[in-house]
Amino acid sequence: MIEVQEASLQSMLEKAINEAKQNHTARIMSMTKQINKADPIAFIGAGENLSMDRGFWGSTSEGFYIAGVGCAHEITAGSNRMDEAEKSWQKLRDEAIIHNPYKKPGTGLVTMGGMSFDPLSQRTSLWNNFPPLSLTVPEIVLTRSAENCYLTINVKVNGIDKASEITQRLNKLERSLLTHSSALPDDVTIEKKQEVDPESWKQTVRHATEFIKANKADKIVLARKLLVKLSDKSAVSTILYNLIEQQPNSYVFAFERNGDCFLGASPERLIKQEQEEVLSTCLAGTAPRGQTKEEDEQIAQSLLHDEKNRSEHEFVVKMIRQSMVHYCRAVNIPDNPVIYPLKNLQHLYTPVKAVLKEKHSIFDIIDKLHPTPALGGVPTEESLAFIREHEQLDRGWYGAPVGWMDSNLHGEFAVAIRSGLIQEKQASLFAGCGIVRDSDPDEEYKETGIKFMPMLSVLGG
């Protein structure tokens, strides 16, 4: 990482071009500046007609947002994806020319994206635009916290580029993105909802319970898909605005690839990094919200004392503890869960704090934690094998880690639940639930129906 203390955009570009010329290879230049408060949703909306992919991350409870437009560089990886991605990211950081006097989370060189739930599962055409792992460095990044706002420009240059021409193009793009109207396109409406073979899904639940009763697994998470036809092509900016308004205490995300957009509002953090400190979340066990304060509290107390949900939650706590000790020290876990309330649902919640050991990274933690028992099952290999053979959908990026990292050793990844893939006038929504020995197929089907609600509500349902 080549740190530059004082610089203008053009001088930074000239330095990067000279480096590229001397080393006969492309160079990434990253420059961050502090700006007046800007609206990240308007920023994403401004990219709607630029034919450039966009990325978005919002931690609504913290008032923290990252909005990215364009792609200066993409990291992709195959079968050994965590190891490949870590090496590619480290090489990119080491060779980048960076001007970032702030070192705040989400500034400097930032990469955003995600990966598929299971790289070994059979892929379908639904997810053609989403590789098994894809992390992009956006060309322009807006980072907004509760206190400050920053703009980062990232650009890849080679030895024959002209700094003045690139500067002119980037300045024009910056003005276009920051002066866009904050008015949102109209909401779409849902014209048709199509359940995908519900009786077959319930039969798979029965098969899973038999598998568990035969002591071949303790828990298997099964997902299903809901197809939604929309009245018009939906605007990503409008959906994101609605998700932020309707889903407090969630991670709102969107990742666009060639016009297809995977987005959602997940309550479940997988891992957060702040230098050497890491924080994970056990979130398993689900119940609806009540219509009154009294009913809500009654449901919460029932959830806290429900044997099935507490057992499901303990699976996750135990697995995360075992995973974290491999790469961390000072692992701290409370003895009992608390209630984590959302608009439509409430969950059992236990935070896990730890300190990364030397020579380990956020990639190691992601690799060890994913899939958690809340998304795969217990034991992991047996449950994944059952899912590959019997689950009748391609999960793609659903249920997988999505998030961001920066060159200052900050980053955060969530589990991509409460989500959907938007393609023109169609949306594929996904929801899952944990199947255990005494699971009832009809009740599990109802639970997945509740979990579709966050996405249906922002699509006009």
Side-chain angles (χ1 to χ4, degrees):
M1 188 188 306
I2 302 170
E3 291 280 3
V4 178
Q5 298 303 317
E6 297 293 335
S8 67
L9 177 57
Q10 184 155 330
S11 66
M12 284 280 291
L13 285 165
E14 287 168 351
K15 181 176 179 60
I17 290 167
N18 286 333
E19 286 268 346
K21 190 181 297 183
Q22 291 170 13
N23 293 282
H24 306 288
T25 184
R27 274 286 185 269
I28 284 280
M29 184 283 296
S30 178
M31 183 174 182
T32 301
K33 62 183 178 181
Q34 190 167 356
I35 63 172
N36 293 329
K37 280 286 179 78
D39 182 355
I41 296 295
F43 190 86
I44 287 292
E48 200 92 43
N49 299 315
L50 293 177
S51 298
M52 302 168 79
D53 285 342
R54 295 165 292 169
F56 184 89
W57 175 269
S59 178
T60 56
S61 62
E62 298 171 327
F64 177 80
Y65 301 95
I66 302 175
V69 174
C71 178
H73 183 83
E74 182 181 16
I75 295 170
T76 57
S79 56
N80 192 20
R81 58 188 186 175
M82 286 296 104
D83 188 48
E84 291 175 30
E86 180 171 15
K87 288 177 180 175
S88 296
W89 175 237
Q90 187 63 54
K91 184 174 187 293
L92 194 67
R93 286 179 58 225
D94 289 347
E95 297 177 355
I97 298 170
I98 297 175
H99 172 66
N100 176 25
Y102 312 101
K103 304 294 192 297
K104 298 293 185 181
T107 66
L109 197 66
V110 175
T111 188
M112 310 174 71
M115 60 204 74
S116 60
F117 176 80
D118 180 3
L120 300 182
S121 65
Q122 188 172 352
R123 285 171 57 86
T124 68
S125 59
L126 180 69
W127 293 94
N128 272 350
N129 288 326
F130 291 80
L133 181 145
S134 172
L135 297 169
T136 65
V137 176
E139 194 163 34
I140 297 191
V141 180
L142 175 69
T143 305
R144 178 170 171 170
S145 66
E147 301 85 23
N148 298 301
C149 205
Y150 303 91
L151 191 78
T152 299
I153 290 176
N154 304 298
V155 62
K156 183 185 288 186
V157 299
N158 58 51
I160 62 171
D161 282 327
K162 298 288 188 291
S164 59
E165 293 176 1
I166 298 174
T167 300
Q168 188 176 12
R169 179 181 67 81
L170 290 172
N171 284 336
K172 182 180 178 182
L173 180 58
E174 177 185 330
R175 286 193 300 271
S176 172
L177 293 171
L178 290 177
T179 59
H180 185 73
S181 168
S182 58
L184 292 167
D186 292 338
D187 286 317
V188 297
T189 57
I190 292 176
E191 291 190 342
K192 182 181 178 183
K193 290 186 289 186
Q194 181 185 342
E195 304 272 356
V196 181
D197 204 350
E199 292 309 315
S200 179
W201 189 84
K202 292 177 187 178
Q203 183 57 42
T204 305
V205 173
R206 295 185 188 96
H207 191 175
T209 58
E210 292 165 3
F211 192 83
I212 293 166
K213 287 173 183 176
N215 296 317
K216 296 179 181 179
D218 296 312
K219 174 187 174 184
I220 297 168
V221 179
L222 293 177
R224 68 183 181 96
K225 180 170 68 173
L226 178 68
L227 294 176
V228 176
K229 184 182 178 183
L230 304 172
S231 59
D232 201 351
K233 182 180 178 181
S234 56
V236 171
S237 55
T238 303
I239 298 175
L240 290 174
Y241 175 84
N242 290 338
L243 285 171
I244 290 169
E245 288 292 302
Q246 297 182 25
Q247 298 301 323
N249 298 328
S250 293
Y251 298 100
V252 175
F253 60 87
F255 300 101
E256 194 172 40
R257 297 292 185 272
N258 296 319
D260 291 355
C261 190
F262 178 59
L263 48 72
S266 173
E268 186 169 349
R269 173 195 292 120
L270 185 67
I271 189 72
K272 180 178 184 178
Q273 179 180 14
E274 293 180 339
Q275 304 287 310
E276 73 277 6
E277 295 183 357
V278 291
L279 171 66
S280 187
T281 297
C282 309
L283 200 74
T286 304
R289 296 298 302 269
Q291 296 296 315
T292 64
K293 185 177 180 180
E294 292 75 17
E295 184 188 15
D296 201 47
E297 177 61 26
Q298 184 181 10
I299 293 171
Q301 288 301 314
S302 295
L303 179 60
L304 281 167
H305 296 92
D306 181 77
E307 185 177 339
K308 174 185 178 294
N309 279 291
R310 284 296 293 265
S311 174
E312 185 178 342
H313 189 79
E314 280 304 311
F315 278 139
V316 180
V317 173
K318 183 179 178 181
M319 178 268 187
I320 290 181
R321 179 190 289 113
Q322 291 172 342
S323 299
M324 296 284 268
V325 296
H326 282 269
Y327 303 116
C328 300
R329 56 185 174 82
V331 179
N332 185 287
I333 307 176
D335 292 333
N336 293 298
V338 296
I339 293 295
Y340 192 83
L342 300 168
K343 181 178 180 180
N344 310 105
L345 301 167
Q346 48 191 324
H347 302 281
L348 296 175
Y349 167 84
T350 300
V352 180
K353 297 179 180 179
V355 177
L356 269 175
K357 295 177 182 176
E358 270 192 71
K359 299 182 180 178
H360 291 299
S361 74
I362 194 171
F363 287 101
D364 294 318
I365 304 291
I366 293 170
D367 193 35
K368 198 70 179 176
L369 288 180
H370 177 73
T372 69
L375 272 300
V378 181
T380 302
E381 289 307 315
E382 286 78 357
S383 57
L384 285 179
F386 184 94
I387 291 167
R388 288 179 197 128
E389 183 176 354
H390 299 286
E391 193 174 75
Q392 298 170 14
L393 82 159
D394 177 6
R395 291 192 185 190
W397 283 24
Y398 164 73
V402 295
W404 64 275
M405 298 176 293
D406 67 27
S407 50
N408 315 305
L409 298 180
H410 302 109
E412 189 161 26
F413 281 76
V415 179
I417 55 177
R418 317 289 195 270
S419 56
L421 178 63
I422 312 297
Q423 297 168 304
E424 295 290 333
K425 295 183 180 181
Q426 179 166 297
S428 300
L429 309 185
F430 303 91
C433 56
I435 308 304
V436 292
R437 177 181 297 268
D438 57 350
S439 289
D440 177 84
D442 291 319
E443 291 303 312
E444 301 296 348
Y445 190 78
K446 288 177 185 176
E447 181 177 324
T448 55
I450 293 171
K451 291 175 178 177
F452 284 128
M453 288 172 61
M455 283 301 300
L456 285 173
S457 66
V458 299
L459 293 174

PDB file of all heavy atoms in Angstrom, residues 389-410:
ATOM      1  N   GLU A 389     -29.162 -32.312  -2.393  1.00  0.00           N
ATOM      2  CA  GLU A 389     -29.899 -33.400  -3.053  1.00  0.00           C
ATOM      3  C   GLU A 389     -31.400 -33.132  -3.130  1.00  0.00           C
ATOM      4  O   GLU A 389     -32.046 -33.490  -4.118  1.00  0.00           O
ATOM      5  CB  GLU A 389     -29.652 -34.712  -2.305  1.00  0.00           C
ATOM      6  CG  GLU A 389     -30.324 -35.905  -2.974  1.00  0.00           C
ATOM      7  CD  GLU A 389     -30.004 -37.221  -2.295  1.00  0.00           C
ATOM      8  OE1 GLU A 389     -29.152 -37.226  -1.367  1.00  0.00           O
ATOM      9  OE2 GLU A 389     -30.604 -38.258  -2.681  1.00  0.00           O
ATOM     10  N   HIS A 390     -31.963 -32.456  -2.111  1.00  0.00           N
ATOM     11  CA  HIS A 390     -33.423 -32.409  -2.003  1.00  0.00           C
ATOM     12  C   HIS A 390     -34.052 -31.023  -2.172  1.00  0.00           C
ATOM     13  O   HIS A 390     -35.231 -30.941  -2.524  1.00  0.00           O
ATOM     14  CB  HIS A 390     -33.869 -32.995  -0.657  1.00  0.00           C
ATOM     15  CG  HIS A 390     -33.473 -34.431  -0.471  1.00  0.00           C
ATOM     16  ND1 HIS A 390     -34.101 -35.461  -1.128  1.00  0.00           N
ATOM     17  CD2 HIS A 390     -32.488 -34.987   0.284  1.00  0.00           C
ATOM     18  CE1 HIS A 390     -33.535 -36.611  -0.775  1.00  0.00           C
ATOM     19  NE2 HIS A 390     -32.558 -36.349   0.070  1.00  0.00           N
ATOM     20  N   GLU A 391     -33.321 -29.958  -1.883  1.00  0.00           N
ATOM     21  CA  GLU A 391     -33.928 -28.633  -1.977  1.00  0.00           C
ATOM     22  C   GLU A 391     -34.107 -28.255  -3.444  1.00  0.00           C
ATOM     23  O   GLU A 391     -33.161 -28.293  -4.216  1.00  0.00           O
ATOM     24  CB  GLU A 391     -33.049 -27.599  -1.260  1.00  0.00           C
ATOM     25  CG  GLU A 391     -33.751 -26.275  -1.039  1.00  0.00           C
ATOM     26  CD  GLU A 391     -32.894 -25.334  -0.193  1.00  0.00           C
ATOM     27  OE1 GLU A 391     -31.912 -24.795  -0.730  1.00  0.00           O
ATOM     28  OE2 GLU A 391     -33.207 -25.166   0.993  1.00  0.00           O
ATOM     29  N   GLN A 392     -35.296 -27.840  -3.801  1.00  0.00           N
ATOM     30  CA  GLN A 392     -35.635 -27.670  -5.214  1.00  0.00           C
ATOM     31  C   GLN A 392     -35.500 -26.214  -5.677  1.00  0.00           C
ATOM     32  O   GLN A 392     -36.415 -25.655  -6.276  1.00  0.00           O
ATOM     33  CB  GLN A 392     -37.050 -28.197  -5.466  1.00  0.00           C
ATOM     34  CG  GLN A 392     -37.177 -29.684  -5.162  1.00  0.00           C
ATOM     35  CD  GLN A 392     -38.614 -30.155  -5.185  1.00  0.00           C
ATOM     36  OE1 GLN A 392     -39.504 -29.465  -5.658  1.00  0.00           O
ATOM     37  NE2 GLN A 392     -38.844 -31.351  -4.670  1.00  0.00           N
ATOM     38  N   LEU A 393     -34.359 -25.601  -5.358  1.00  0.00           N
ATOM     39  CA  LEU A 393     -34.089 -24.265  -5.873  1.00  0.00           C
ATOM     40  C   LEU A 393     -32.601 -24.013  -5.834  1.00  0.00           C
ATOM     41  O   LEU A 393     -31.853 -24.681  -5.116  1.00  0.00           O
ATOM     42  CB  LEU A 393     -34.823 -23.186  -5.065  1.00  0.00           C
ATOM     43  CG  LEU A 393     -34.189 -22.706  -3.751  1.00  0.00           C
ATOM     44  CD1 LEU A 393     -34.734 -21.348  -3.378  1.00  0.00           C
ATOM     45  CD2 LEU A 393     -34.471 -23.694  -2.628  1.00  0.00           C
ATOM     46  N   ASP A 394     -32.178 -23.040  -6.626  1.00  0.00           N
ATOM     47  CA  ASP A 394     -30.804 -22.569  -6.618  1.00  0.00           C
ATOM     48  C   ASP A 394     -30.762 -21.344  -5.700  1.00  0.00           C
ATOM     49  O   ASP A 394     -31.281 -20.294  -6.038  1.00  0.00           O
ATOM     50  CB  ASP A 394     -30.377 -22.206  -8.054  1.00  0.00           C
ATOM     51  CG  ASP A 394     -28.973 -21.637  -8.129  1.00  0.00           C
ATOM     52  OD1 ASP A 394     -28.267 -21.619  -7.100  1.00  0.00           O
ATOM     53  OD2 ASP A 394     -28.576 -21.212  -9.230  1.00  0.00           O
ATOM     54  N   ARG A 395     -30.158 -21.485  -4.506  1.00  0.00           N
ATOM     55  CA  ARG A 395     -30.121 -20.369  -3.558  1.00  0.00           C
ATOM     56  C   ARG A 395     -29.298 -19.189  -4.078  1.00  0.00           C
ATOM     57  O   ARG A 395     -29.536 -18.042  -3.680  1.00  0.00           O
ATOM     58  CB  ARG A 395     -29.528 -20.824  -2.221  1.00  0.00           C
ATOM     59  CG  ARG A 395     -30.403 -21.772  -1.434  1.00  0.00           C
ATOM     60  CD  ARG A 395     -29.858 -21.916  -0.009  1.00  0.00           C
ATOM     61  NE  ARG A 395     -30.610 -22.924   0.747  1.00  0.00           N
ATOM     62  CZ  ARG A 395     -30.486 -23.120   2.047  1.00  0.00           C
ATOM     63  NH1 ARG A 395     -29.638 -22.370   2.753  1.00  0.00           N
ATOM     64  NH2 ARG A 395     -31.179 -24.053   2.668  1.00  0.00           N
ATOM     65  N   GLY A 396     -28.313 -19.460  -4.928  1.00  0.00           N
ATOM     66  CA  GLY A 396     -27.455 -18.375  -5.380  1.00  0.00           C
ATOM     67  C   GLY A 396     -26.813 -17.676  -4.198  1.00  0.00           C
ATOM     68  O   GLY A 396     -26.228 -18.301  -3.315  1.00  0.00           O
ATOM     69  N   TRP A 397     -26.967 -16.332  -4.150  1.00  0.00           N
ATOM     70  CA  TRP A 397     -26.385 -15.557  -3.044  1.00  0.00           C
ATOM     71  C   TRP A 397     -27.296 -15.507  -1.819  1.00  0.00           C
ATOM     72  O   TRP A 397     -26.890 -14.983  -0.785  1.00  0.00           O
ATOM     73  CB  TRP A 397     -26.073 -14.135  -3.514  1.00  0.00           C
ATOM     74  CG  TRP A 397     -24.834 -14.027  -4.362  1.00  0.00           C
ATOM     75  CD1 TRP A 397     -24.249 -15.003  -5.112  1.00  0.00           C
ATOM     76  CD2 TRP A 397     -24.034 -12.858  -4.543  1.00  0.00           C
ATOM     77  NE1 TRP A 397     -23.142 -14.524  -5.759  1.00  0.00           N
ATOM     78  CE2 TRP A 397     -22.982 -13.204  -5.430  1.00  0.00           C
ATOM     79  CE3 TRP A 397     -24.106 -11.547  -4.068  1.00  0.00           C
ATOM     80  CZ2 TRP A 397     -22.010 -12.286  -5.836  1.00  0.00           C
ATOM     81  CZ3 TRP A 397     -23.147 -10.643  -4.470  1.00  0.00           C
ATOM     82  CH2 TRP A 397     -22.102 -11.011  -5.335  1.00  0.00           C
ATOM     83  N   TYR A 398     -28.503 -16.043  -1.909  1.00  0.00           N
ATOM     84  CA  TYR A 398     -29.396 -16.058  -0.747  1.00  0.00           C
ATOM     85  C   TYR A 398     -28.766 -16.872   0.384  1.00  0.00           C
ATOM     86  O   TYR A 398     -28.268 -17.979   0.174  1.00  0.00           O
ATOM     87  CB  TYR A 398     -30.761 -16.656  -1.101  1.00  0.00           C
ATOM     88  CG  TYR A 398     -31.556 -17.039   0.128  1.00  0.00           C
ATOM     89  CD1 TYR A 398     -32.130 -16.064   0.939  1.00  0.00           C
ATOM     90  CD2 TYR A 398     -31.687 -18.373   0.519  1.00  0.00           C
ATOM     91  CE1 TYR A 398     -32.825 -16.404   2.089  1.00  0.00           C
ATOM     92  CE2 TYR A 398     -32.381 -18.726   1.665  1.00  0.00           C
ATOM     93  CZ  TYR A 398     -32.945 -17.736   2.444  1.00  0.00           C
ATOM     94  OH  TYR A 398     -33.611 -18.085   3.597  1.00  0.00           O
ATOM     95  N   GLY A 399     -28.803 -16.332   1.589  1.00  0.00           N
ATOM     96  CA  GLY A 399     -28.291 -17.033   2.758  1.00  0.00           C
ATOM     97  C   GLY A 399     -26.784 -17.014   2.900  1.00  0.00           C
ATOM     98  O   GLY A 399     -26.237 -17.604   3.829  1.00  0.00           O
ATOM     99  N   ALA A 400     -26.106 -16.331   1.985  1.00  0.00           N
ATOM    100  CA  ALA A 400     -24.645 -16.322   1.969  1.00  0.00           C
ATOM    101  C   ALA A 400     -24.107 -14.999   2.524  1.00  0.00           C
ATOM    102  O   ALA A 400     -24.854 -14.031   2.677  1.00  0.00           O
ATOM    103  CB  ALA A 400     -24.154 -16.536   0.540  1.00  0.00           C
ATOM    104  N   PRO A 401     -22.810 -14.916   2.805  1.00  0.00           N
ATOM    105  CA  PRO A 401     -22.232 -13.661   3.293  1.00  0.00           C
ATOM    106  C   PRO A 401     -22.208 -12.577   2.208  1.00  0.00           C
ATOM    107  O   PRO A 401     -21.766 -12.816   1.088  1.00  0.00           O
ATOM    108  CB  PRO A 401     -20.793 -14.058   3.675  1.00  0.00           C
ATOM    109  CG  PRO A 401     -20.832 -15.543   3.861  1.00  0.00           C
ATOM    110  CD  PRO A 401     -21.849 -16.023   2.878  1.00  0.00           C
ATOM    111  N   VAL A 402     -22.695 -11.397   2.557  1.00  0.00           N
ATOM    112  CA  VAL A 402     -22.577 -10.209   1.701  1.00  0.00           C
ATOM    113  C   VAL A 402     -22.093  -9.060   2.579  1.00  0.00           C
ATOM    114  O   VAL A 402     -22.424  -8.993   3.762  1.00  0.00           O
ATOM    115  CB  VAL A 402     -23.914  -9.822   1.018  1.00  0.00           C
ATOM    116  CG1 VAL A 402     -24.368 -10.900   0.048  1.00  0.00           C
ATOM    117  CG2 VAL A 402     -25.008  -9.536   2.050  1.00  0.00           C
ATOM    118  N   GLY A 403     -21.302  -8.146   1.997  1.00  0.00           N
ATOM    119  CA  GLY A 403     -20.835  -7.041   2.811  1.00  0.00           C
ATOM    120  C   GLY A 403     -19.726  -6.248   2.158  1.00  0.00           C
ATOM    121  O   GLY A 403     -19.667  -6.145   0.932  1.00  0.00           O
ATOM    122  N   TRP A 404     -18.817  -5.724   2.984  1.00  0.00           N
ATOM    123  CA  TRP A 404     -17.779  -4.812   2.484  1.00  0.00           C
ATOM    124  C   TRP A 404     -16.534  -4.903   3.360  1.00  0.00           C
ATOM    125  O   TRP A 404     -16.574  -5.358   4.499  1.00  0.00           O
ATOM    126  CB  TRP A 404     -18.292  -3.364   2.501  1.00  0.00           C
ATOM    127  CG  TRP A 404     -18.597  -2.849   3.888  1.00  0.00           C
ATOM    128  CD1 TRP A 404     -19.764  -3.018   4.589  1.00  0.00           C
ATOM    129  CD2 TRP A 404     -17.704  -2.155   4.770  1.00  0.00           C
ATOM    130  NE1 TRP A 404     -19.653  -2.453   5.842  1.00  0.00           N
ATOM    131  CE2 TRP A 404     -18.408  -1.912   5.989  1.00  0.00           C
ATOM    132  CE3 TRP A 404     -16.393  -1.689   4.658  1.00  0.00           C
ATOM    133  CZ2 TRP A 404     -17.836  -1.244   7.065  1.00  0.00           C
ATOM    134  CZ3 TRP A 404     -15.815  -1.025   5.733  1.00  0.00           C
ATOM    135  CH2 TRP A 404     -16.534  -0.800   6.922  1.00  0.00           C
ATOM    136  N   MET A 405     -15.407  -4.440   2.792  1.00  0.00           N
ATOM    137  CA  MET A 405     -14.144  -4.314   3.521  1.00  0.00           C
ATOM    138  C   MET A 405     -13.429  -3.077   3.014  1.00  0.00           C
ATOM    139  O   MET A 405     -13.642  -2.658   1.870  1.00  0.00           O
ATOM    140  CB  MET A 405     -13.241  -5.517   3.270  1.00  0.00           C
ATOM    141  CG  MET A 405     -13.784  -6.844   3.732  1.00  0.00           C
ATOM    142  SD  MET A 405     -12.658  -8.191   3.268  1.00  0.00           S
ATOM    143  CE  MET A 405     -12.811  -8.136   1.494  1.00  0.00           C
ATOM    144  N   ASP A 406     -12.559  -2.516   3.855  1.00  0.00           N
ATOM    145  CA  ASP A 406     -11.733  -1.418   3.374  1.00  0.00           C
ATOM    146  C   ASP A 406     -10.263  -1.696   3.670  1.00  0.00           C
ATOM    147  O   ASP A 406      -9.921  -2.685   4.336  1.00  0.00           O
ATOM    148  CB  ASP A 406     -12.182  -0.066   3.962  1.00  0.00           C
ATOM    149  CG  ASP A 406     -11.956   0.078   5.461  1.00  0.00           C
ATOM    150  OD1 ASP A 406     -11.037  -0.582   5.998  1.00  0.00           O
ATOM    151  OD2 ASP A 406     -12.688   0.847   6.101  1.00  0.00           O
ATOM    152  N   SER A 407      -9.396  -0.828   3.152  1.00  0.00           N
ATOM    153  CA  SER A 407      -7.954  -1.030   3.276  1.00  0.00           C
ATOM    154  C   SER A 407      -7.422  -0.683   4.653  1.00  0.00           C
ATOM    155  O   SER A 407      -6.226  -0.817   4.905  1.00  0.00           O
ATOM    156  CB  SER A 407      -7.224  -0.206   2.205  1.00  0.00           C
ATOM    157  OG  SER A 407      -7.670   1.149   2.200  1.00  0.00           O
ATOM    158  N   ASN A 408      -8.301  -0.230   5.568  1.00  0.00           N
ATOM    159  CA  ASN A 408      -7.895   0.117   6.926  1.00  0.00           C
ATOM    160  C   ASN A 408      -8.241  -0.974   7.937  1.00  0.00           C
ATOM    161  O   ASN A 408      -8.247  -0.726   9.145  1.00  0.00           O
ATOM    162  CB  ASN A 408      -8.577   1.422   7.376  1.00  0.00           C
ATOM    163  CG  ASN A 408      -8.525   2.497   6.322  1.00  0.00           C
ATOM    164  OD1 ASN A 408      -7.458   2.834   5.840  1.00  0.00           O
ATOM    165  ND2 ASN A 408      -9.689   3.038   5.959  1.00  0.00           N
ATOM    166  N   LEU A 409      -8.575  -2.180   7.438  1.00  0.00           N
ATOM    167  CA  LEU A 409      -8.954  -3.317   8.285  1.00  0.00           C
ATOM    168  C   LEU A 409     -10.270  -3.089   9.016  1.00  0.00           C
ATOM    169  O   LEU A 409     -10.436  -3.444  10.188  1.00  0.00           O
ATOM    170  CB  LEU A 409      -7.844  -3.670   9.282  1.00  0.00           C
ATOM    171  CG  LEU A 409      -6.517  -4.121   8.667  1.00  0.00           C
ATOM    172  CD1 LEU A 409      -5.501  -4.436   9.747  1.00  0.00           C
ATOM    173  CD2 LEU A 409      -6.705  -5.323   7.748  1.00  0.00           C
ATOM    174  N   HIS A 410     -11.221  -2.487   8.318  1.00  0.00           N
ATOM    175  CA  HIS A 410     -12.607  -2.452   8.770  1.00  0.00           C
ATOM    176  C   HIS A 410     -13.433  -3.275   7.770  1.00  0.00           C
ATOM    177  O   HIS A 410     -13.091  -3.359   6.594  1.00  0.00           O
ATOM    178  CB  HIS A 410     -13.174  -1.030   8.791  1.00  0.00           C
ATOM    179  CG  HIS A 410     -12.410  -0.082   9.656  1.00  0.00           C
ATOM    180  ND1 HIS A 410     -11.631   0.921   9.148  1.00  0.00           N
ATOM    181  CD2 HIS A 410     -12.317   0.010  10.999  1.00  0.00           C
ATOM    182  CE1 HIS A 410     -11.076   1.600  10.136  1.00  0.00           C
ATOM    183  NE2 HIS A 410     -11.484   1.074  11.272  1.00  0.00           N
TER     184      HIS A 410
END
